[in-house]
Amino acid sequence: KAGVTQTPRYLIKTRGQQVTLSCSPISGHRSVSWYQQTPGQGLQFLFEYFSETQRNKGNFPGRFSGRQFSNSRSEMNVSTLELGDSALYLCASSLALAPETQYFGPGTRLLVL
Amino acid sequence: AQSVTQLGSHVSVSEGALVLLRCNYSSSVPPYLFWYVQYPNQGLQLLLKYTSAATLVKGINGFEAEFKKSETSFHLTKPSAHMSDAAEYFCAVRRNFGNEKLTFGTGTRLTIIP
């Protein structure tokens, strides 16, 4: 089976812009979670989607949003980018919600200038 | 609430020596525990997981971990370190309860000394 894929792999944006990241889960997986990884804050949970519904949300401002489509693919959007949004954004998929094992994609590295 | 604590943000071992990475968890209900590895510029790869079936869990690349409820620990070990083991390792916990998220520790960077 193909693993979790994320596009694009690298992205450079400027402050104030918005960005959309995409994640395709492993075939058959219905849950997708998003994480932000930075050197200072480590791995922080953004949100989790299952069957097109957001099931859990981390402590991030409303500028961070996401959605899941009927084929389980997911997108996350960050509006009005700030310098502090520079990070590696990781997507993970699992068959279902907790406590199913999550499998991670390679991530999208976002640099905000 | 649930949390994990990884003792030691950096660990160095000689090639061929024992690798021991420490993880302690806090959970009000029986947890599911995971170890992930991250190589430079890559995502996280699952090493092994504890799901209450057996307390000693064997994973990929020769790693194993033992769940000790009395010590609330889930330390990761490998008998003989290899240069290719150099990476960052994350312990994570997820309770089998509702829509619980996966909570990560702060990570341990493992360096292998030739």
Side-chain angles (χ1 to χ4, degrees), chain A residues 9-10 35 37 43 45 48 55-56 88 90 94 96-106 109, chain B residues 32 34 36 38 41-46 49 88 90 94-102 104-105:
Chain A
R9 291 293 311 279
Y10 303 93
Y35 297 85
Q37 185 179 27
L43 280 155
F45 171 75
E48 181 172 22
R55 302 298 179 131
N56 209 340
L88 180 66
L90 292 164
S94 57
L97 296 171
E100 292 292 335
T101 302
Q102 294 190 347
Y103 297 89
F104 285 77
R109 186 164 296 280
Chain B
Y32 281 41
F34 307 84
Y36 288 88
Q38 186 177 34
N41 300 314
Q42 293 188 26
L44 275 67
Q45 180 182 7
L46 180 69
K49 60 182 178 182
E88 188 149 21
F90 293 91
R94 191 172 196 186
R95 297 187 301 175
N96 183 10
F97 181 78
N99 296 333
E100 286 290 333
K101 64 180 182 179
L102 186 64
F104 285 91

Side-chain angles (χ1 to χ4, degrees), chain A residues 33 64 70 77 98:
Chain A
S33 295
F64 291 82
S70 58
N77 184 78

Side-chain angles (χ1 to χ4, degrees), chain B residues 19-31:
Chain B
V19 175
L20 170 60
L21 304 182
R22 300 178 186 275
C23 173
N24 288 89
Y25 70 90
S26 172
S27 176
S28 57
V29 298

Side-chain angles (χ1 to χ4, degrees), chain B residues 3-4 11 25 38 69 84 90 96 99 108 111-112:
Chain B
S3 66
V4 287
V11 170
Y25 70 90
Q38 186 177 34
K69 185 177 179 180
S84 61
F90 293 91
N96 183 10
N99 296 333
T108 297
T111 300
I112 309 299

